[in-house]
Amino acid sequence: AALNQATRSMAIELKRHGVIVVSLHPGTTDTDLSAPFQRNVAKDKLFDRAFTARQLLTIVDGLEPRHSGDFFAWDGADIPF
């Protein structure tokens, strides 16, 4: 909840400077950090780092000022909070 509030607050504060602020959920990415949890993740939902980076950059490239303060999943879906 704190990260969500920080995103919203930064979006409001930085809007006057033309800065777009969002939160991004990368999905489960194959890293050392996620290794202990991977056995419960479907193979098609465990992403390699290159895929994750491409997905997040695609989302960032498509952002418009109206998106500021929002939270997006790895596939571009809006995550309500």
Side-chain angles (χ1 to χ4, degrees):
L3 178 58
N4 297 343
Q5 186 58 45
T7 299
R8 291 277 170 100
S9 295
M10 285 189 292
I12 292 166
E13 292 297 321
L14 296 173
K15 181 179 181 178
R16 65 185 130 193
H17 299 290
V19 176
I20 299 171
V21 178
V22 297
S23 290
L24 299 172
H25 187 307
T28 304
T29 304
D30 188 10
T31 65
D32 291 341
L33 182 65
S34 68
F37 311 102
Q38 291 179 8
R39 68 173 176 233
N40 297 321
V41 178
K43 287 288 185 192
D44 64 332
K45 297 295 182 185
L46 179 62
F47 308 127
D48 67 49
R49 289 171 280 205
F51 174 83
T52 298
R54 283 191 307 273
Q55 289 297 108
L56 297 181
L57 288 173
T58 298
I59 294 167
V60 169
D61 284 345
L63 291 175
E64 299 176 3
R66 65 186 172 90
H67 297 123
S68 200
D70 290 347
F71 186 14
F72 295 98
W74 63 272
D75 61 357
D78 186 53
I79 299 174
F81 64 92

